[in-house]
Amino acid sequence: MTSSFVSIAQQKEDVVVMLSGDKKKGKVVAINDSTIKFEYSGESLGYEFKKSDINQIEFASGRIELINDSNTTAPVSSPRSAAENADTKNKIAVLPFQIVSNDASLTTEAMQHEIQASCVSTLRKESATVQVQDPRTTNSILAKNNIKMEDVDALSPEEAAKLLGVEYVVFGTYDIKNEGTMTSGSSSSTYKGQKKDDKEKGTEYSSQNSYTTTTYSTKVELILYNESGENIFSETKRPLLGSLDSYNGAIKYIAKRMPFGSKAKK
């Protein structure tokens, strides 16, 4: 099989969806027999990803090319409910977050669960009328049904609610864009052995300090569905501070505006 090259729309980005659930944003340069060549947004350094690790490619043109079916090992059409006869009224579960990033260094699986836990904690503080399921319980049910991180997107909201035994489910996405790094520094000099106000007769000691910071552009999206699969609330928030943990403030902002948030306490 020969290599084929893909033309990319300049104004948009390609998204490579890995079987792990990770999403790589940038430009697909070429597709070969067993690998694809890829460049992250804003970078010229090329990477190669094994096709065996890829679920699908979402091209900037809107075309989707399926590489590996992520549902072959975890069918979700008939999930086994953990609570067939349980009362689901006013119960809500938060699924592990999807991470979309152009930063290859992020440990996305750890962050998916970290943001999920943050969202659960915030909803518990802001909710007046619902019982928020512990994330360990949610993730345990998913694992017992052989639903991995890459399979979460394949779950319909109705299936997720039935599987988890809740009335509401929250699907969340955290979009992180590495905007680049900046290095700043300072230096100082001290003198030893000199007479007062006479630096020429002393020994000078110099020290320098440098600091490197990375700036991120982030966005949080939360979508709330009921057990019938209806989208009853969705909102996106871009935090003002460009840091990896800026999702906390964004989640709190959105949670307060949910139908059962703090405004519903009145």
Side-chain angles (χ1 to χ4, degrees):
M1 183 183 296
T2 58
S3 301
S4 60
F5 291 83
V6 185
S7 297
I8 309 299
Q10 294 182 352
Q11 71 277 16
K12 296 183 178 180
E13 296 175 306
D14 298 327
V15 178
V16 178
V17 183
M18 310 299 288
L19 286 173
S20 64
D22 194 7
K23 294 183 179 181
K24 315 289 188 180
K25 295 178 66 175
K27 181 173 69 173
V28 175
V29 179
I31 300 178
N32 301 317
D33 290 350
S34 59
T35 63
I36 72 164
K37 293 183 178 181
F38 183 83
E39 293 180 359
Y40 285 97
S41 300
E43 298 182 10
S44 58
L45 182 63
Y47 292 84
E48 281 194 348
F49 298 138
K50 294 180 180 179
K51 294 175 74 173
S52 59
D53 294 333
I54 298 172
N55 174 17
Q56 65 183 23
I57 302 173
E58 300 170 1
F59 291 101
S61 63
R63 181 173 67 86
I64 297 178
E65 181 171 338
L66 182 65
I67 305 298
N68 293 290
D69 188 354
S70 64
N71 300 320
T72 54
T73 59
V76 296
S77 57
S78 312
R80 303 191 308 273
S81 174
E84 289 287 347
N85 301 315
D87 181 13
T88 64
K89 188 68 174 177
N90 293 329
K91 294 181 180 179
I92 182 171
V94 179
L95 292 167
F97 271 59
Q98 293 298 314
I99 307 295
V100 180
S101 178
N102 68 340
D103 192 332
S105 66
L106 293 177
T107 309
T108 57
E109 185 172 353
M111 184 170 286
Q112 285 171 323
H113 289 101
E114 182 180 328
I115 306 175
Q116 176 195 26
S118 174
C119 187
V120 167
S121 177
T122 301
L123 287 176
R124 284 175 174 169
K125 294 177 182 178
E126 299 297 334
S127 304
T129 59
V130 295
Q131 177 183 344
V132 187
Q133 188 173 89
D134 189 282
R136 287 183 177 271
T137 301
T138 299
N139 297 337
S140 175
I141 295 173
L142 293 175
K144 289 178 180 178
N145 283 269
N146 296 318
I147 298 175
K148 302 176 183 179
M149 292 301 305
E150 61 266 24
D151 302 317
V152 171
D153 267 350
L155 274 175
S156 71
E158 186 176 3
E159 290 169 338
K162 180 180 179 181
L163 175 67
L164 299 172
V166 295
E167 184 178 10
Y168 303 103
V169 288
V170 174
F171 285 75
T173 302
Y174 190 39
D175 194 304
I176 314 167
K177 185 175 182 180
N178 188 328
E179 299 284 5
T181 59
M182 180 179 67
T183 301
S184 58
S186 62
S187 62
S188 62
S189 298
T190 58
Y191 297 87
K192 184 177 181 181
Q194 79 277 14
K195 294 182 180 179
K196 184 178 180 180
D197 299 326
D198 188 358
K199 296 180 181 179
E200 292 184 356
K201 293 183 179 180
T203 302
E204 180 181 0
Y205 296 88
S206 299
S207 61
Q208 293 184 339
N209 297 298
S210 62
Y211 308 90
T212 300
T213 57
T214 303
T215 302
Y216 295 93
S217 172
T218 62
K219 179 177 67 177
V220 173
E221 180 184 39
L222 296 183
I223 306 177
L224 177 68
Y225 296 91
N226 63 18
E227 58 189 350
S228 298
E230 298 173 315
N231 181 337
I232 59 175
F233 175 86
S234 63
E235 187 159 339
T236 300
K237 175 66 175 177
R238 290 186 177 274
L240 296 177
L241 299 177
S243 60
L244 288 179
D245 60 355
S246 59
Y247 56 80
N248 289 303
I251 290 175
K252 183 177 181 179
Y253 174 91
I254 298 175
K256 287 184 176 181
R257 286 153 179 78
M258 284 186 169
F260 45 76
S262 59
K263 291 186 177 181
K265 295 180 183 179
K266 298 179 180 180

PDB file of all heavy atoms in Angstrom, residues 194-222:
ATOM      1  N   GLN A 194      35.499  44.043  51.115  1.00  0.00           N
ATOM      2  CA  GLN A 194      35.793  45.418  50.761  1.00  0.00           C
ATOM      3  C   GLN A 194      35.543  46.343  51.947  1.00  0.00           C
ATOM      4  O   GLN A 194      34.810  46.018  52.861  1.00  0.00           O
ATOM      5  CB  GLN A 194      34.937  45.878  49.565  1.00  0.00           C
ATOM      6  CG  GLN A 194      33.499  46.268  49.921  1.00  0.00           C
ATOM      7  CD  GLN A 194      32.594  45.055  49.999  1.00  0.00           C
ATOM      8  OE1 GLN A 194      33.092  43.945  50.035  1.00  0.00           O
ATOM      9  NE2 GLN A 194      31.304  45.280  50.063  1.00  0.00           N
ATOM     10  N   LYS A 195      36.190  47.494  51.886  1.00  0.00           N
ATOM     11  CA  LYS A 195      35.917  48.514  52.872  1.00  0.00           C
ATOM     12  C   LYS A 195      34.591  49.174  52.529  1.00  0.00           C
ATOM     13  O   LYS A 195      34.089  49.051  51.418  1.00  0.00           O
ATOM     14  CB  LYS A 195      37.041  49.569  52.870  1.00  0.00           C
ATOM     15  CG  LYS A 195      38.379  49.013  53.331  1.00  0.00           C
ATOM     16  CD  LYS A 195      39.434  50.109  53.349  1.00  0.00           C
ATOM     17  CE  LYS A 195      40.781  49.560  53.815  1.00  0.00           C
ATOM     18  NZ  LYS A 195      41.831  50.604  53.830  1.00  0.00           N
ATOM     19  N   LYS A 196      34.067  49.882  53.465  1.00  0.00           N
ATOM     20  CA  LYS A 196      32.787  50.528  53.271  1.00  0.00           C
ATOM     21  C   LYS A 196      32.835  51.437  52.053  1.00  0.00           C
ATOM     22  O   LYS A 196      33.737  52.270  51.920  1.00  0.00           O
ATOM     23  CB  LYS A 196      32.392  51.320  54.519  1.00  0.00           C
ATOM     24  CG  LYS A 196      31.008  51.943  54.434  1.00  0.00           C
ATOM     25  CD  LYS A 196      30.653  52.664  55.715  1.00  0.00           C
ATOM     26  CE  LYS A 196      29.260  53.275  55.619  1.00  0.00           C
ATOM     27  NZ  LYS A 196      28.895  53.983  56.858  1.00  0.00           N
ATOM     28  N   ASP A 197      31.868  51.289  51.162  1.00  0.00           N
ATOM     29  CA  ASP A 197      31.730  52.096  49.937  1.00  0.00           C
ATOM     30  C   ASP A 197      32.919  51.962  49.000  1.00  0.00           C
ATOM     31  O   ASP A 197      33.149  52.820  48.150  1.00  0.00           O
ATOM     32  CB  ASP A 197      31.498  53.574  50.280  1.00  0.00           C
ATOM     33  CG  ASP A 197      30.235  53.779  51.089  1.00  0.00           C
ATOM     34  OD1 ASP A 197      29.265  53.016  50.833  1.00  0.00           O
ATOM     35  OD2 ASP A 197      30.211  54.679  51.929  1.00  0.00           O
ATOM     36  N   ASP A 198      33.701  50.893  49.133  1.00  0.00           N
ATOM     37  CA  ASP A 198      34.856  50.713  48.250  1.00  0.00           C
ATOM     38  C   ASP A 198      34.807  49.303  47.673  1.00  0.00           C
ATOM     39  O   ASP A 198      35.429  48.376  48.180  1.00  0.00           O
ATOM     40  CB  ASP A 198      36.163  50.922  49.028  1.00  0.00           C
ATOM     41  CG  ASP A 198      37.369  50.927  48.072  1.00  0.00           C
ATOM     42  OD1 ASP A 198      37.149  50.719  46.849  1.00  0.00           O
ATOM     43  OD2 ASP A 198      38.490  51.136  48.552  1.00  0.00           O
ATOM     44  N   LYS A 199      34.051  49.129  46.592  1.00  0.00           N
ATOM     45  CA  LYS A 199      33.828  47.814  46.008  1.00  0.00           C
ATOM     46  C   LYS A 199      35.057  47.291  45.268  1.00  0.00           C
ATOM     47  O   LYS A 199      35.199  46.105  45.051  1.00  0.00           O
ATOM     48  CB  LYS A 199      32.631  47.864  45.065  1.00  0.00           C
ATOM     49  CG  LYS A 199      31.324  48.181  45.775  1.00  0.00           C
ATOM     50  CD  LYS A 199      30.153  48.233  44.808  1.00  0.00           C
ATOM     51  CE  LYS A 199      28.854  48.568  45.535  1.00  0.00           C
ATOM     52  NZ  LYS A 199      27.714  48.650  44.599  1.00  0.00           N
ATOM     53  N   GLU A 200      35.957  48.173  44.845  1.00  0.00           N
ATOM     54  CA  GLU A 200      37.113  47.743  44.059  1.00  0.00           C
ATOM     55  C   GLU A 200      38.076  46.887  44.883  1.00  0.00           C
ATOM     56  O   GLU A 200      38.829  46.092  44.336  1.00  0.00           O
ATOM     57  CB  GLU A 200      37.833  48.968  43.509  1.00  0.00           C
ATOM     58  CG  GLU A 200      37.012  49.715  42.466  1.00  0.00           C
ATOM     59  CD  GLU A 200      37.805  50.862  41.868  1.00  0.00           C
ATOM     60  OE1 GLU A 200      38.943  51.097  42.328  1.00  0.00           O
ATOM     61  OE2 GLU A 200      37.282  51.513  40.944  1.00  0.00           O
ATOM     62  N   LYS A 201      38.077  47.018  46.205  1.00  0.00           N
ATOM     63  CA  LYS A 201      38.993  46.263  47.043  1.00  0.00           C
ATOM     64  C   LYS A 201      38.354  44.993  47.618  1.00  0.00           C
ATOM     65  O   LYS A 201      38.938  44.337  48.453  1.00  0.00           O
ATOM     66  CB  LYS A 201      39.497  47.150  48.183  1.00  0.00           C
ATOM     67  CG  LYS A 201      40.368  48.291  47.700  1.00  0.00           C
ATOM     68  CD  LYS A 201      40.906  49.087  48.859  1.00  0.00           C
ATOM     69  CE  LYS A 201      41.795  50.231  48.366  1.00  0.00           C
ATOM     70  NZ  LYS A 201      42.321  51.025  49.493  1.00  0.00           N
ATOM     71  N   GLY A 202      37.143  44.676  47.164  1.00  0.00           N
ATOM     72  CA  GLY A 202      36.476  43.474  47.652  1.00  0.00           C
ATOM     73  C   GLY A 202      36.332  42.444  46.543  1.00  0.00           C
ATOM     74  O   GLY A 202      36.757  42.650  45.410  1.00  0.00           O
ATOM     75  N   THR A 203      35.767  41.300  46.884  1.00  0.00           N
ATOM     76  CA  THR A 203      35.507  40.234  45.927  1.00  0.00           C
ATOM     77  C   THR A 203      34.020  40.222  45.591  1.00  0.00           C
ATOM     78  O   THR A 203      33.166  40.242  46.483  1.00  0.00           O
ATOM     79  CB  THR A 203      35.901  38.868  46.508  1.00  0.00           C
ATOM     80  OG1 THR A 203      37.287  38.910  46.869  1.00  0.00           O
ATOM     81  CG2 THR A 203      35.675  37.755  45.490  1.00  0.00           C
ATOM     82  N   GLU A 204      33.717  40.203  44.287  1.00  0.00           N
ATOM     83  CA  GLU A 204      32.324  40.249  43.849  1.00  0.00           C
ATOM     84  C   GLU A 204      31.790  38.832  43.634  1.00  0.00           C
ATOM     85  O   GLU A 204      32.439  37.985  43.035  1.00  0.00           O
ATOM     86  CB  GLU A 204      32.205  41.033  42.542  1.00  0.00           C
ATOM     87  CG  GLU A 204      30.771  41.124  42.017  1.00  0.00           C
ATOM     88  CD  GLU A 204      30.698  41.895  40.717  1.00  0.00           C
ATOM     89  OE1 GLU A 204      31.755  42.356  40.234  1.00  0.00           O
ATOM     90  OE2 GLU A 204      29.595  42.016  40.187  1.00  0.00           O
ATOM     91  N   TYR A 205      30.590  38.581  44.147  1.00  0.00           N
ATOM     92  CA  TYR A 205      29.897  37.310  43.944  1.00  0.00           C
ATOM     93  C   TYR A 205      28.573  37.602  43.242  1.00  0.00           C
ATOM     94  O   TYR A 205      27.781  38.422  43.717  1.00  0.00           O
ATOM     95  CB  TYR A 205      29.637  36.615  45.280  1.00  0.00           C
ATOM     96  CG  TYR A 205      30.901  36.218  46.016  1.00  0.00           C
ATOM     97  CD1 TYR A 205      31.522  37.113  46.895  1.00  0.00           C
ATOM     98  CD2 TYR A 205      31.467  34.960  45.819  1.00  0.00           C
ATOM     99  CE1 TYR A 205      32.680  36.762  47.567  1.00  0.00           C
ATOM    100  CE2 TYR A 205      32.631  34.595  46.490  1.00  0.00           C
ATOM    101  CZ  TYR A 205      33.229  35.501  47.362  1.00  0.00           C
ATOM    102  OH  TYR A 205      34.372  35.144  48.020  1.00  0.00           O
ATOM    103  N   SER A 206      28.342  36.949  42.108  1.00  0.00           N
ATOM    104  CA  SER A 206      27.121  37.179  41.332  1.00  0.00           C
ATOM    105  C   SER A 206      26.249  35.930  41.338  1.00  0.00           C
ATOM    106  O   SER A 206      26.755  34.801  41.383  1.00  0.00           O
ATOM    107  CB  SER A 206      27.468  37.548  39.882  1.00  0.00           C
ATOM    108  OG  SER A 206      28.228  38.732  39.844  1.00  0.00           O
ATOM    109  N   SER A 207      24.949  36.143  41.270  1.00  0.00           N
ATOM    110  CA  SER A 207      23.995  35.028  41.181  1.00  0.00           C
ATOM    111  C   SER A 207      22.904  35.398  40.194  1.00  0.00           C
ATOM    112  O   SER A 207      22.551  36.567  40.052  1.00  0.00           O
ATOM    113  CB  SER A 207      23.381  34.718  42.552  1.00  0.00           C
ATOM    114  OG  SER A 207      22.664  35.844  43.042  1.00  0.00           O
ATOM    115  N   GLN A 208      22.404  34.404  39.509  1.00  0.00           N
ATOM    116  CA  GLN A 208      21.344  34.611  38.521  1.00  0.00           C
ATOM    117  C   GLN A 208      20.232  33.600  38.760  1.00  0.00           C
ATOM    118  O   GLN A 208      20.482  32.450  39.101  1.00  0.00           O
ATOM    119  CB  GLN A 208      21.879  34.467  37.099  1.00  0.00           C
ATOM    120  CG  GLN A 208      22.862  35.561  36.696  1.00  0.00           C
ATOM    121  CD  GLN A 208      23.284  35.437  35.250  1.00  0.00           C
ATOM    122  OE1 GLN A 208      23.161  34.363  34.660  1.00  0.00           O
ATOM    123  NE2 GLN A 208      23.777  36.523  34.677  1.00  0.00           N
ATOM    124  N   ASN A 209      19.013  34.049  38.555  1.00  0.00           N
ATOM    125  CA  ASN A 209      17.835  33.185  38.672  1.00  0.00           C
ATOM    126  C   ASN A 209      16.982  33.338  37.420  1.00  0.00           C
ATOM    127  O   ASN A 209      16.793  34.462  36.928  1.00  0.00           O
ATOM    128  CB  ASN A 209      16.994  33.549  39.898  1.00  0.00           C
ATOM    129  CG  ASN A 209      17.758  33.332  41.193  1.00  0.00           C
ATOM    130  OD1 ASN A 209      18.142  32.209  41.490  1.00  0.00           O
ATOM    131  ND2 ASN A 209      17.981  34.409  41.944  1.00  0.00           N
ATOM    132  N   SER A 210      16.500  32.230  36.899  1.00  0.00           N
ATOM    133  CA  SER A 210      15.623  32.273  35.728  1.00  0.00           C
ATOM    134  C   SER A 210      14.379  31.452  35.999  1.00  0.00           C
ATOM    135  O   SER A 210      14.422  30.452  36.725  1.00  0.00           O
ATOM    136  CB  SER A 210      16.336  31.733  34.488  1.00  0.00           C
ATOM    137  OG  SER A 210      16.705  30.381  34.659  1.00  0.00           O
ATOM    138  N   TYR A 211      13.273  31.886  35.428  1.00  0.00           N
ATOM    139  CA  TYR A 211      11.990  31.234  35.613  1.00  0.00           C
ATOM    140  C   TYR A 211      11.330  31.043  34.250  1.00  0.00           C
ATOM    141  O   TYR A 211      11.294  31.966  33.442  1.00  0.00           O
ATOM    142  CB  TYR A 211      11.075  32.070  36.512  1.00  0.00           C
ATOM    143  CG  TYR A 211      11.726  32.475  37.824  1.00  0.00           C
ATOM    144  CD1 TYR A 211      12.445  33.679  37.926  1.00  0.00           C
ATOM    145  CD2 TYR A 211      11.627  31.663  38.936  1.00  0.00           C
ATOM    146  CE1 TYR A 211      13.049  34.043  39.117  1.00  0.00           C
ATOM    147  CE2 TYR A 211      12.225  32.027  40.137  1.00  0.00           C
ATOM    148  CZ  TYR A 211      12.936  33.214  40.224  1.00  0.00           C
ATOM    149  OH  TYR A 211      13.532  33.575  41.397  1.00  0.00           O
ATOM    150  N   THR A 212      10.813  29.834  34.020  1.00  0.00           N
ATOM    151  CA  THR A 212      10.120  29.535  32.771  1.00  0.00           C
ATOM    152  C   THR A 212       8.660  29.219  33.074  1.00  0.00           C
ATOM    153  O   THR A 212       8.359  28.376  33.920  1.00  0.00           O
ATOM    154  CB  THR A 212      10.754  28.333  32.049  1.00  0.00           C
ATOM    155  OG1 THR A 212      12.122  28.629  31.753  1.00  0.00           O
ATOM    156  CG2 THR A 212      10.016  28.032  30.751  1.00  0.00           C
ATOM    157  N   THR A 213       7.766  29.917  32.419  1.00  0.00           N
ATOM    158  CA  THR A 213       6.336  29.703  32.619  1.00  0.00           C
ATOM    159  C   THR A 213       5.680  29.327  31.296  1.00  0.00           C
ATOM    160  O   THR A 213       6.098  29.796  30.229  1.00  0.00           O
ATOM    161  CB  THR A 213       5.655  30.964  33.177  1.00  0.00           C
ATOM    162  OG1 THR A 213       5.889  32.069  32.289  1.00  0.00           O
ATOM    163  CG2 THR A 213       6.200  31.307  34.547  1.00  0.00           C
ATOM    164  N   THR A 214       4.675  28.483  31.374  1.00  0.00           N
ATOM    165  CA  THR A 214       3.915  28.068  30.198  1.00  0.00           C
ATOM    166  C   THR A 214       2.514  28.655  30.270  1.00  0.00           C
ATOM    167  O   THR A 214       1.859  28.584  31.318  1.00  0.00           O
ATOM    168  CB  THR A 214       3.820  26.532  30.109  1.00  0.00           C
ATOM    169  OG1 THR A 214       5.140  25.980  30.092  1.00  0.00           O
ATOM    170  CG2 THR A 214       3.082  26.099  28.850  1.00  0.00           C
ATOM    171  N   THR A 215       2.062  29.241  29.184  1.00  0.00           N
ATOM    172  CA  THR A 215       0.731  29.835  29.133  1.00  0.00           C
ATOM    173  C   THR A 215      -0.215  28.906  28.388  1.00  0.00           C
ATOM    174  O   THR A 215       0.121  28.384  27.324  1.00  0.00           O
ATOM    175  CB  THR A 215       0.763  31.200  28.426  1.00  0.00           C
ATOM    176  OG1 THR A 215       1.666  32.072  29.120  1.00  0.00           O
ATOM    177  CG2 THR A 215      -0.627  31.833  28.411  1.00  0.00           C
ATOM    178  N   TYR A 216      -1.399  28.706  28.961  1.00  0.00           N
ATOM    179  CA  TYR A 216      -2.402  27.846  28.337  1.00  0.00           C
ATOM    180  C   TYR A 216      -3.688  28.632  28.083  1.00  0.00           C
ATOM    181  O   TYR A 216      -4.066  29.510  28.856  1.00  0.00           O
ATOM    182  CB  TYR A 216      -2.730  26.654  29.239  1.00  0.00           C
ATOM    183  CG  TYR A 216      -1.581  25.709  29.465  1.00  0.00           C
ATOM    184  CD1 TYR A 216      -0.744  25.855  30.574  1.00  0.00           C
ATOM    185  CD2 TYR A 216      -1.323  24.665  28.590  1.00  0.00           C
ATOM    186  CE1 TYR A 216       0.317  24.992  30.793  1.00  0.00           C
ATOM    187  CE2 TYR A 216      -0.267  23.797  28.799  1.00  0.00           C
ATOM    188  CZ  TYR A 216       0.551  23.969  29.905  1.00  0.00           C
ATOM    189  OH  TYR A 216       1.604  23.111  30.117  1.00  0.00           O
ATOM    190  N   SER A 217      -4.341  28.289  27.004  1.00  0.00           N
ATOM    191  CA  SER A 217      -5.688  28.786  26.731  1.00  0.00           C
ATOM    192  C   SER A 217      -6.630  27.612  26.954  1.00  0.00           C
ATOM    193  O   SER A 217      -6.478  26.553  26.330  1.00  0.00           O
ATOM    194  CB  SER A 217      -5.795  29.276  25.280  1.00  0.00           C
ATOM    195  OG  SER A 217      -7.139  29.592  24.953  1.00  0.00           O
ATOM    196  N   THR A 218      -7.586  27.761  27.860  1.00  0.00           N
ATOM    197  CA  THR A 218      -8.430  26.632  28.236  1.00  0.00           C
ATOM    198  C   THR A 218      -9.917  26.941  28.071  1.00  0.00           C
ATOM    199  O   THR A 218     -10.331  28.108  28.057  1.00  0.00           O
ATOM    200  CB  THR A 218      -8.162  26.213  29.695  1.00  0.00           C
ATOM    201  OG1 THR A 218      -8.486  27.312  30.564  1.00  0.00           O
ATOM    202  CG2 THR A 218      -6.705  25.826  29.886  1.00  0.00           C
ATOM    203  N   LYS A 219     -10.699  25.882  27.969  1.00  0.00           N
ATOM    204  CA  LYS A 219     -12.146  26.017  27.826  1.00  0.00           C
ATOM    205  C   LYS A 219     -12.822  24.792  28.430  1.00  0.00           C
ATOM    206  O   LYS A 219     -12.411  23.662  28.190  1.00  0.00           O
ATOM    207  CB  LYS A 219     -12.530  26.152  26.347  1.00  0.00           C
ATOM    208  CG  LYS A 219     -14.027  26.281  26.086  1.00  0.00           C
ATOM    209  CD  LYS A 219     -14.307  26.483  24.604  1.00  0.00           C
ATOM    210  CE  LYS A 219     -13.944  25.256  23.802  1.00  0.00           C
ATOM    211  NZ  LYS A 219     -14.292  25.415  22.356  1.00  0.00           N
ATOM    212  N   VAL A 220     -13.867  25.010  29.226  1.00  0.00           N
ATOM    213  CA  VAL A 220     -14.629  23.924  29.837  1.00  0.00           C
ATOM    214  C   VAL A 220     -16.040  23.911  29.257  1.00  0.00           C
ATOM    215  O   VAL A 220     -16.676  24.963  29.145  1.00  0.00           O
ATOM    216  CB  VAL A 220     -14.705  24.093  31.370  1.00  0.00           C
ATOM    217  CG1 VAL A 220     -15.655  23.057  31.975  1.00  0.00           C
ATOM    218  CG2 VAL A 220     -13.327  23.958  31.991  1.00  0.00           C
ATOM    219  N   GLU A 221     -16.505  22.728  28.903  1.00  0.00           N
ATOM    220  CA  GLU A 221     -17.887  22.569  28.435  1.00  0.00           C
ATOM    221  C   GLU A 221     -18.565  21.473  29.261  1.00  0.00           C
ATOM    222  O   GLU A 221     -18.017  20.386  29.433  1.00  0.00           O
ATOM    223  CB  GLU A 221     -17.933  22.189  26.955  1.00  0.00           C
ATOM    224  CG  GLU A 221     -19.370  22.006  26.444  1.00  0.00           C
ATOM    225  CD  GLU A 221     -19.431  21.530  25.005  1.00  0.00           C
ATOM    226  OE1 GLU A 221     -18.588  20.680  24.625  1.00  0.00           O
ATOM    227  OE2 GLU A 221     -20.313  21.990  24.259  1.00  0.00           O
ATOM    228  N   LEU A 222     -19.746  21.775  29.787  1.00  0.00           N
ATOM    229  CA  LEU A 222     -20.548  20.806  30.515  1.00  0.00           C
ATOM    230  C   LEU A 222     -21.904  20.670  29.833  1.00  0.00           C
ATOM    231  O   LEU A 222     -22.542  21.678  29.485  1.00  0.00           O
ATOM    232  CB  LEU A 222     -20.764  21.232  31.970  1.00  0.00           C
ATOM    233  CG  LEU A 222     -19.535  21.338  32.876  1.00  0.00           C
ATOM    234  CD1 LEU A 222     -19.972  21.692  34.293  1.00  0.00           C
ATOM    235  CD2 LEU A 222     -18.746  20.044  32.879  1.00  0.00           C
TER     236      LEU A 222
END
